[in-house]
Amino acid sequence: MKSTEEKKVYMLLKSVIFHYHGLDEQEKQDLERTANELDAHAEYQWALEFVSQDHITSFERARHYLNDIIADYTKEKRIELINMVWQANNLKGYVTEMEATAMLKLAKDWNVQRELIDLVLK
């Protein structure tokens, strides 16, 4: 069972990456499926509101928010989060350059760049 904070992290992370280039229908369905699986409907709404406050700055604002929380997470948990976003992006069959750049920035912030690169090369 994930805490409210963990649910917020999952939903914000996915939301901000998916909104980075504009949310498509498949990504919206994935977000809704994740909210259902995690029982995180309130956290999903919170993430959508976070992004909608200002789409242009949402990624940088989310980065700051997430970095404050994730600094306390174990390396394994940080890798799990990066992997979750990478896998979610691969559902549509490709990852845009903007999405990849966003994930690389987060991986660098979280000191898991090597692990993200290993995931990409698999």
Side-chain angles (χ1 to χ4, degrees):
M1 172 91 79
K2 297 193 182 307
S3 69
T4 298
E5 178 185 277
E6 288 176 304
K7 291 177 185 181
K8 278 184 170 181
V9 166
Y10 270 78
M11 296 313 302
L12 180 59
L13 186 54
K14 269 191 167 185
S15 295
V16 77
I17 296 292
F18 284 166
H19 280 90
Y20 204 70
H21 65 85
L23 186 69
D24 66 26
E25 187 58 33
Q26 188 174 11
E27 292 166 333
K28 182 179 177 189
Q29 289 174 2
D30 183 62
L31 284 168
E32 291 169 356
R33 185 174 38 256
T34 301
N36 286 333
E37 289 170 1
L38 297 176
D39 190 23
H41 299 282
E43 294 82 0
Y44 176 40
Q45 286 305 312
W46 172 85
L48 291 178
E49 289 170 17
F50 184 102
V51 171
S52 71
Q53 287 174 7
D54 183 2
H55 286 279
I56 294 171
T57 64
S58 65
F59 177 73
E60 287 304 318
R61 288 184 298 111
R63 241 176 112 184
H64 291 290
Y65 175 85
L66 292 168
N67 286 346
D68 287 343
I69 293 170
I70 291 177
D72 295 332
Y73 282 21
T74 64
K75 187 168 191 172
E76 291 76 24
K77 186 69 169 176
R78 289 178 275 146
I79 294 167
E80 176 189 328
L81 288 167
I82 285 291
N83 185 44
M84 178 268 300
V85 175
W86 179 257
Q87 296 304 322
N89 273 282
N90 276 322
L91 289 176
K92 64 184 180 237
Y94 62 92
V95 176
T96 69
E97 183 178 344
M98 291 175 73
E99 291 165 333
T101 299
M103 285 183 274
L104 280 169
K105 286 179 182 179
L106 291 171
K108 182 179 180 191
D109 290 348
W110 303 346
N111 198 28
V112 292
Q113 286 174 288
R114 173 84 263 157
E115 291 78 2
L116 175 59
I117 292 167
D118 290 345
L119 288 171
V120 171
L121 294 176
K122 285 184 182 178

